[in-house]
């Protein structure tokens, strides 16, 4: 449950309530900040040039510096420390403006890139805390040959955040030349340069908004959360063929942040609904709306393959950290201590990073999902204290209780790896690769391999990392090289653990779990017992209700059904719909208490 203010309880299900939604879309080049190399004409001692593209958009403190008529002795200023590590200062120009705010020699700030980038515009964050900004400056972009692609001459900027709507496609350099400050005798201070713009969708320009959240307690799947927003597109900004529109600048991974709220008498409290990332958009030339679909960061984990499975066991925390680091998404995880310390196998086959995480969670008897904090969570899902009640005050009608088929038997395979008796090392991979200087090759094996070793003909092997199903080889040279990897091919051994709870005279109704990270009979029994306990929760409540944005999947609620029963249930799925008002389709999972 998201923490809310004291008025939330009275307003969330008020007879007459107001609803509001806001979505901010970071329409920026997703790789520009990471590749940018900043350069400047000069900087003051307090300046930290590298902070101009670190994702922190504000200088939080009012720094006390010796600029004329600036440092007020009112306790709101802080003298800078000798060591500014951990402090946000941004870039400060090396020269001061004159008494009219103009510079004799205009200072400059630029960013160089080795690859071309494209932005629908740019956002410049000055020093909002101190109320200092540049009023006059030029913004220019250049291609690799130094040809100017765009020029914006800003005159009379009146605030600490400037949004440029001048697009630039394929630029290799962005340059800012500052000509005047908002007050005399000041340095230019730039907290952050965003290689894009932030668009806001509010109640007045949002036609429809849907938010989907879902968890799978059995971890047979790892669901991806989704946002779908339909917006007013009368300016045709999101039409594919509009040469001045945003379509050509859309990139998967651009962030959308959403807040949603309800309240009585227009007193609407907004709560965080999480961050999603652009996936696709659609619009017709004849239509007046456009639709944007975004997903949580789990969908980014489908882009790559995890190849670093290995023999042996380790803790869930160690394995998850390795999977996330290998994914390159920057995603972090928060893991319940008991789950994180669980020891499982590490023999992850060649699968996507998302599937690898699903296997880990299932073997650890945990539930994995993306939280609204943009962090991956691993929890031991249990029924807890109720945080909400779903009854006829907030449901459209009593839910039709669905009763799942009874399961009384769970069969779990325990996996092991062994080399057949007398097996010698043999060739497990052979291929050719074109070397152009340093080259990295992932050599994939057809099955699990122990003791792999590579040889390279026609090049030099400089480093090698060997895993159960693949090897990462780094080579140098020029021309065609032949790569051979030898090792001992392993066979998988399986033993089946059967966990049952049969009634007298009852026939088996079984489910099977096949997970290569279940690596012992003892773990297989634990997994089976856990699954059998889950299968005894057979009541499913599909509910059409008014919606509580602060309620989250995994929360425990009370549900009133058509039979007058009032039972505890865990929220497994929520789909919020906003079209000026708010409603929700919710699935709750109960045990029949």
């Amino acid at each position: 449950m998201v923490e809310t203010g004291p008025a939330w309880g009275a307003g969330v299900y008020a007879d007459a309530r107001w609803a509001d939604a806001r979505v901010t879309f970071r329409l920026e080049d997703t790789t520009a900040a990471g590749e940018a190399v900043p350069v400047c004409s000069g900087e003051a001692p307090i300046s930290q040039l590298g902070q101009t593209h670190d994702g922190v958009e504000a200088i939080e403190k009012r720094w006390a510096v010796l600029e004329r008529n600036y440092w007020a002795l009112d306790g709101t200023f802080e003298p800078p420390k000798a060591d500014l590590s951990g402090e946000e200062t941004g870039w400060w120009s090396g020269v001061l403006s004159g008494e009219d705010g103009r510079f004799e020699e205009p200072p400059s700030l630029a960013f160089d890139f080795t690859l071309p980038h494209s932005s629908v515009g740019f956002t410049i964050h000055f020093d909002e805390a101190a109320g200092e900004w540049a009023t006059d400056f030029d913004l220019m972009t250049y291609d690799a040959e130094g040809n100017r692609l765009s020029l914006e001459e800003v005159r009379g900027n009146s605030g600490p955040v400037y949004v440029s709507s001048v697009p630039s496609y394929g630029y290799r350099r962005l340059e800012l030349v500052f000509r005047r400050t908002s007050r005399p005798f000041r340095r230019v201070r730039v907290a952050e340069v965003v290689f894009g713009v932030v668009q806001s969708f509010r109640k007045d320009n949002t036609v429809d908004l849907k938010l989907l959240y879902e968890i799978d307690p059995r971890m047979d799947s790892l669901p991806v959360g989704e946002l779908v927003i339909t917006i007013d597109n009368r300016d045709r900004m999101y039409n594919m063929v509009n040469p001045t529109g945003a379509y050509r600048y859309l990139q998967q991974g651009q962030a959308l942040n959403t807040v949603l709220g309800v309240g009585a008498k227009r007193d609407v409290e907004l709560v965080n609904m999480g961050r999603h990332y652009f996936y696709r958009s659609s619009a017709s030339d004849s239509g007046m709306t456009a639709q944007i679909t975004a997903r949580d960061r789990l969908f980014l984990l489908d882009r790559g393959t995890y190849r670093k499975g290995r023999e042996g066991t380790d803790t869930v925390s160690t394995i998850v950290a390795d999977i996330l680091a290998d994914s390159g998404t920057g995603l972090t995880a928060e893991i319940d201590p008991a789950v994180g310390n669980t020891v499982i196998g590490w023999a992850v086959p060649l699968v996507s990073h998302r599937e690898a995480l699903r296997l880990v969670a299932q073997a650890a008897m945990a539930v994995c999902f993306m939280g609204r904090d943009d962090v991956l969570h691993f929890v031991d899902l249990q029924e807890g204290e109720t945080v909400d009640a779903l009854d006829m005050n907030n449901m459209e009608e009593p839910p039709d209780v669905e009763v799942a088929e009874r399961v009384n038997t769970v069969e779990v395979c325990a996996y092991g790896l062994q080399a057949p008796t007398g097996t010698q090392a043999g060739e497990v991979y052979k291929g050719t690769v074109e070397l152009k200087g340093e080259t990295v090759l992932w050599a994939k094996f057809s099955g699990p391999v122990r003791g792999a070793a590579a040889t390279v003909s026609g090049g030099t092997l400089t480093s090698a990392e060997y895993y159960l199903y693949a090897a990462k080889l780094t080579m140098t040279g020029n021309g065609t090289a032949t790569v051979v990897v030898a090792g001992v091919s392993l066979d998988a051994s399986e033993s089946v653990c059967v966990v049952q709870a049969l009634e007298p005279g009852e026939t088996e109704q079984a489910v099977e779990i096949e997970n290569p990270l279940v690596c012992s009979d003892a773990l297989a029994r634990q997994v089976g017992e856990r699954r059998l306990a889950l299968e005894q929760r057979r009541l499913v409540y599909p509910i059409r209700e008014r919606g509580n944005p602060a309620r989250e999947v995994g929360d425990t609620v009370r549900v009133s059904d058509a039979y007058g029963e009032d039972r505890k249930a865990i929220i497994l799925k929520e789909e919020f719909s906003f079209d000026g008002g708010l409603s929700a389709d919710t699935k709750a999972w109960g045990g029949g208490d």
Side-chain angles (χ1 to χ4, degrees):
M1 189 81 166
V2 177
E3 186 175 345
T4 56
W8 183 265
V12 63
Y13 294 129
D15 291 340
R17 69 174 185 175
W18 298 83
D20 198 5
R22 299 174 190 174
V23 178
T24 56
F25 184 9
R26 295 186 64 89
L27 195 58
E28 61 184 319
D29 189 298
T30 58
T31 59
E35 297 175 3
V37 178
V39 293
C40 64
S41 57
E43 54 186 326
I46 194 176
S47 176
Q48 297 184 86
L49 182 61
Q51 293 181 345
T52 53
H53 57 296
D54 63 354
V56 180
E57 297 177 353
I59 300 171
E60 294 183 355
K61 297 179 179 179
R62 301 177 74 187
W63 293 107
V65 294
L66 298 177
E67 295 178 2
R68 191 182 302 182
N69 298 324
Y70 171 66
W71 181 359
L73 301 179
D74 59 1
T76 64
F77 287 80
E78 183 172 326
K81 306 170 185 176
D83 182 7
L84 289 169
S85 301
E87 301 285 359
E88 194 72 21
T89 62
W91 172 74
W92 295 50
S93 65
V95 295
L96 295 164
S97 61
E99 64 179 343
D100 60 354
R102 291 186 170 86
F103 291 96
E104 290 186 6
E105 295 184 8
S108 64
L109 172 66
F111 300 88
D112 291 322
F113 307 89
T114 56
L115 297 173
H117 292 274
S118 300
S119 299
V120 70
F122 300 91
T123 305
I124 318 299
H125 292 266
F126 295 102
D127 189 351
E128 186 169 4
E132 303 288 345
W133 57 85
T135 60
D136 299 353
F137 57 94
D138 300 336
L139 188 155
M140 298 156 285
T141 60
Y142 299 88
D143 64 16
E145 286 72 42
N147 301 309
R148 193 168 70 192
L149 300 176
S150 66
L151 166 64
E152 182 178 13
E153 296 178 325
V154 180
R155 300 294 183 265
N157 171 43
S158 59
V161 179
Y162 181 78
V163 179
S164 167
S165 58
V166 177
S168 185
Y169 192 82
Y171 61 88
R172 293 278 291 272
R173 181 181 176 88
L174 167 65
E175 184 175 10
L176 298 162
V177 177
F178 300 98
R179 304 193 178 280
R180 190 172 187 175
T181 56
S182 55
R183 290 189 178 95
F185 307 112
R186 295 289 186 267
R187 302 179 192 276
V188 178
R189 310 158 189 194
V190 176
E192 186 80 4
V193 175
V194 179
F195 303 98
V197 300
V198 177
Q199 285 198 308
S200 294
F201 303 121
R202 294 174 176 262
K203 195 170 185 176
D204 57 352
N205 61 354
T206 297
V207 178
D208 181 73
L209 170 66
K210 293 187 183 300
L211 288 160
L212 173 65
Y213 308 89
E214 187 173 7
I215 58 175
D216 181 355
R218 299 169 179 82
M219 287 313 299
D220 291 333
S221 64
L222 181 48
V224 175
E226 188 172 79
L227 173 152
V228 180
I229 183 170
T230 304
I231 59 172
D232 185 330
N233 191 44
R234 282 176 288 186
D235 59 2
R236 299 186 179 181
M237 184 174 183
Y238 287 91
N239 288 40
M240 183 183 298
V241 297
N242 182 0
T244 61
Y247 191 88
R248 71 187 306 198
Y249 302 98
L250 296 175
Q251 299 175 14
Q252 283 197 355
Q254 292 169 330
L256 292 89
N257 299 315
T258 306
V259 293
L260 193 62
V262 291
K265 299 180 181 179
R266 296 182 182 265
D267 185 17
V268 174
E269 179 180 350
L270 296 169
V271 297
N272 174 38
M273 303 302 290
R275 173 174 289 185
H276 297 79
Y277 297 83
F278 177 79
Y279 182 66
R280 62 172 177 256
S281 69
S282 62
S284 64
D285 290 333
S286 59
M288 299 177 68
T289 62
Q291 190 174 84
I292 296 172
T293 301
R295 294 178 173 174
D296 67 30
R297 276 211 280 185
L298 282 175
F299 96 92
L300 300 176
L301 295 173
D302 285 330
R303 293 179 171 181
T305 300
Y306 183 68
R307 308 178 182 92
K308 295 184 176 180
R310 58 203 78 178
E311 282 195 85
T313 62
D314 215 316
T315 63
V316 168
S317 291
T318 299
I319 298 173
V320 168
D322 193 74
I323 294 170
L324 294 180
D326 186 66
S327 74
T329 60
L331 186 60
T332 58
E334 185 175 303
I335 306 175
D336 286 357
V339 175
N341 292 328
T342 302
V343 175
I344 62 174
W346 202 334
V348 181
L350 299 178
V351 295
S352 71
H353 294 91
R354 178 155 73 106
E355 174 63 8
L357 292 169
R358 185 197 70 80
L359 292 172
V360 170
Q362 187 181 63
M365 298 157 286
V367 171
C368 173
F369 63 96
M370 282 297 304
R372 296 190 191 180
D373 53 2
D374 205 29
V375 171
L376 191 66
H377 291 261
F378 284 77
V379 301
D380 178 12
L381 184 65
Q382 300 285 348
E383 194 174 82
E385 295 296 322
T386 57
V387 299
D388 200 3
L390 294 173
D391 52 33
M392 289 313 299
N393 290 321
N394 46 48
M395 297 188 297
E396 291 189 3
E397 58 185 7
D400 293 327
V401 182
E402 299 175 359
V403 182
E405 291 186 7
R406 174 166 164 75
V407 172
N408 55 31
T409 303
V410 179
E411 299 175 357
V412 185
C413 287
Y415 289 86
L417 294 170
Q418 59 187 17
T421 304
T423 301
Q424 302 294 318
E427 185 177 288
V428 295
Y429 174 87
K430 184 175 183 179
T432 60
V433 59
E434 289 297 320
L435 299 181
K436 295 180 180 179
E438 185 174 275
T439 303
V440 176
L441 170 71
W442 274 99
K444 299 179 184 179
F445 314 144
S446 58
V449 172
R450 179 184 296 161
T455 58
V456 178
S457 301
T460 302
L461 181 65
T462 58
S463 68
E465 299 174 17
Y466 297 105
Y467 300 100
L468 192 58
Y469 291 92
K472 183 181 180 181
L473 309 175
T474 304
M475 299 162 282
T476 59
N478 290 286
T480 303
T482 300
V483 179
V484 176
V485 181
V488 177
S489 294
L490 304 178
D491 289 340
S493 61
E494 301 178 12
S495 60
V496 179
C497 174
V498 179
V499 180
Q500 289 185 321
L502 294 176
E503 299 289 341
E506 188 179 27
T507 59
E508 287 189 3
Q509 299 178 72
V511 295
E512 298 179 358
I513 298 177
E514 297 182 354
N515 186 320
L517 310 193
V518 178
C519 57
S520 68
D521 291 337
L523 182 57
R525 177 159 293 279
Q526 288 180 300
V527 171
E529 290 173 349
R530 170 71 171 180
R531 178 62 173 266
L532 189 59
L534 293 179
E535 295 296 345
Q536 305 319 300
R537 299 182 63 93
R538 299 172 59 199
L539 303 183
V540 177
Y541 302 92
I543 306 167
R544 179 70 174 170
E545 42 108 2
R546 300 180 71 191
N548 180 349
R551 192 181 59 230
E552 301 180 271
V553 289
D555 284 345
T556 300
V557 300
R558 280 276 176 190
V559 179
S560 299
D561 63 28
Y563 305 99
E565 297 290 340
D566 185 30
R567 296 187 174 99
K568 274 188 170 184
I570 297 174
I571 301 296
L572 297 187
K573 181 179 179 180
E574 290 190 307
E575 184 173 9
F576 294 98
S577 297
F578 174 82
D579 58 1
L582 180 67
S583 62
D585 288 297
T586 300
K587 182 168 77 173
W589 178 55
D593 60 318

